[in-house]
């Protein structure tokens, strides 16, 4: 277990140290924060665009990180010989593969938490802005403090991480990711609404789930094929799974104060288990057959 946890932690930090991951995080936070602030149509309710943008950022950004981070870390381990060193330390091939997948999932989870907190801040700001507009008979706009806090989750960590890297030799990308989560948490805590958080939590968790399948499929193909072939196969699998995405991105189900039943969340989660399990089983079979000498 100790060696397995070390593999998972090292994998998570490796992915969170990728510049592309930081770029995707900043872009996702910007989408969740700015899309609701720059539109002029409420689509029936003030928080509609805020929910749509947040769930889209979770779905798309999570899939990109799951694919790119998993592919890079597995191919780097196999091509550099690090995998052979780990397997020489009494770690089975199956355990090595599964622990690395857990590390990849941890990195994706960190991304999902940060974007979810930013989305919660923005949705809350949209509701406050709508209430203010209804009271004064004005056009509903995103509440200023919520917008500032959401944007700060993308901008302030970069500035702070640059200063820490310059004067204290902190790792820039990892520090930026960590500070983004901290700033996002502070933003969500300001004017926190427990009922809103409980209503959005199932939808956010569902939007992050497809990345688990992308991650598992990428890991399986990465241990069997080189980068280009693995990427092509993942693209084909993702395209085949597109019709099912509508079951996991449910912004419309939250309209007019509605919520997603936890029974639906449980059924959607169970529906994903066979696909993820099949991809992981294929990955274990591929790494067992691979020549790592």
């Amino acid at each position: 277990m100790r060696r397995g946890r070390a593999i998972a932690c090292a994998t998570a930090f490796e992915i969170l140290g990728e510049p592309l991951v930081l770029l995707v995080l900043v872009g996702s936070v910007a989408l969740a924060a700015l899309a609701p602030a720059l539109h002029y149509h409420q689509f029936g309710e003030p928080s509609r665009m805020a929910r749509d943008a947040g769930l889209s950022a979770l779905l798309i950004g999570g899939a990109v990180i799951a694919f790119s981070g998993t592919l890079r870390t597995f191919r780097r381990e196999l091509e550099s010989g690090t995998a052979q060193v780990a397997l020489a330390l009494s770690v089975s091939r199956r355990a090595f593969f599964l622990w690395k997948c857990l590390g990849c999932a941890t990195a994706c989870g960190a991304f999902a938490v940060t974007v979810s907190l930013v989305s919660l801040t923005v949705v809350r700001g949209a509701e406050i802005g709508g209430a203010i507009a209804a009271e004064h008979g004005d056009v509903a706009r995103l509440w200023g403090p919520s917008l500032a806090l959401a944007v700060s989750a993308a901008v302030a960590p970069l500035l702070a991480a640059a200063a820490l890297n310059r004067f204290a030799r902190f790792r820039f990308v990892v520090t930026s990711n960590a500070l983004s989560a901290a700033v996002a948490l502070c933003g969500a805590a300001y004017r926190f609404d427990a009922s809103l958080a409980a209503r959005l939590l199932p939808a956010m968790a569902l939007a992050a789930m497809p990345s688990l399948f992308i991650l598992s499929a990428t890991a399986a193909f990465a241990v069997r094929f080189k980068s280009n072939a693995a990427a092509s196969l993942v693209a084909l699998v993702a395209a085949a799974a597109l019709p099912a995405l509508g079951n996991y991105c449910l912004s419309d189900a939250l309209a007019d104060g509605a919520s997603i039943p936890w029974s639906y969340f449980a059924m959607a989660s169970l529906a994903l288990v066979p696909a993820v399990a099949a991809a992981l089983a294929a990955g274990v079979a591929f790494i067992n057959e691979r020549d790592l000498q």
Side-chain angles (χ1 to χ4, degrees):
M1 291 293 292
R2 184 173 64 254
R3 294 190 180 100
R5 287 195 298 269
I7 292 172
C9 290
T11 301
F13 277 106
E14 180 184 357
I15 292 176
L16 292 174
E18 291 280 352
L20 178 60
V21 172
L22 179 59
L23 290 175
V24 174
L25 175 63
V26 172
S28 298
V29 170
L31 172 63
L34 296 180
L38 299 177
H39 80 291
Y40 292 93
H41 196 290
Q42 302 302 318
F43 299 98
E45 54 180 318
S47 62
R48 170 64 184 271
M49 178 61 77
R51 293 197 312 269
D52 287 353
L55 294 179
S56 297
L58 270 173
L59 182 67
I60 299 172
V64 172
I65 289 179
F67 166 71
S68 63
T70 304
L71 182 63
R72 285 171 178 266
T73 186
F74 269 97
R75 292 309 307 173
R76 188 181 294 121
E77 296 275 12
L78 294 170
E79 293 172 1
S80 66
T82 308
Q84 291 88 321
V85 175
L87 294 173
L89 300 175
S90 301
V91 177
S92 68
R93 295 186 178 209
R94 178 179 63 181
F96 175 79
F97 176 80
L98 294 178
W99 279 110
K100 279 199 70 69
C101 287
L102 179 60
C104 296
T106 301
C108 292
F111 165 84
V113 168
T114 301
V115 177
S116 295
L117 290 172
V118 172
S119 180
L120 178 61
T121 302
V122 175
V123 174
R124 178 62 175 149
E127 291 189 346
I128 294 174
I132 294 173
E135 182 178 350
H136 295 87
D138 198 359
V139 177
R141 298 186 183 279
L142 192 62
W143 192 47
S146 294
L147 176 60
L149 288 168
V151 173
S152 295
V155 177
L158 298 178
L159 300 176
L164 289 171
N165 175 262
R166 173 64 179 83
F167 298 108
R169 298 189 179 277
F170 279 58
R171 294 178 61 186
F172 173 73
V173 177
V174 174
T175 305
S176 294
N177 282 315
L179 291 176
S180 292
V183 175
L185 179 61
C186 293
Y190 183 67
R191 299 295 296 269
F192 180 74
D193 185 341
S195 62
L196 175 63
R199 190 163 64 89
L200 291 180
L201 179 59
M204 292 174 175
L206 285 173
M209 281 185 182
S211 62
L212 293 177
F213 174 64
I214 298 295
L215 183 157
S216 303
T218 303
F221 291 132
V223 298
R224 178 64 177 84
F225 304 99
K226 293 186 177 181
S227 296
N228 290 339
S232 300
L233 290 170
V234 172
L236 291 175
V237 170
L242 279 177
L245 288 183
N247 299 315
Y248 295 92
C249 193
L250 301 174
S251 179
D252 290 342
L254 300 175
D256 300 321
S259 60
I260 298 173
W262 283 104
S263 58
Y264 178 89
F265 175 82
M267 292 175 61
S269 302
L270 290 174
L272 195 64
V273 169
V276 173
L280 293 177
V284 170
F286 288 153
I287 198 170
N288 283 335
E289 295 173 356
R290 185 182 178 90
D291 182 11
L292 294 175
Q293 302 300 325

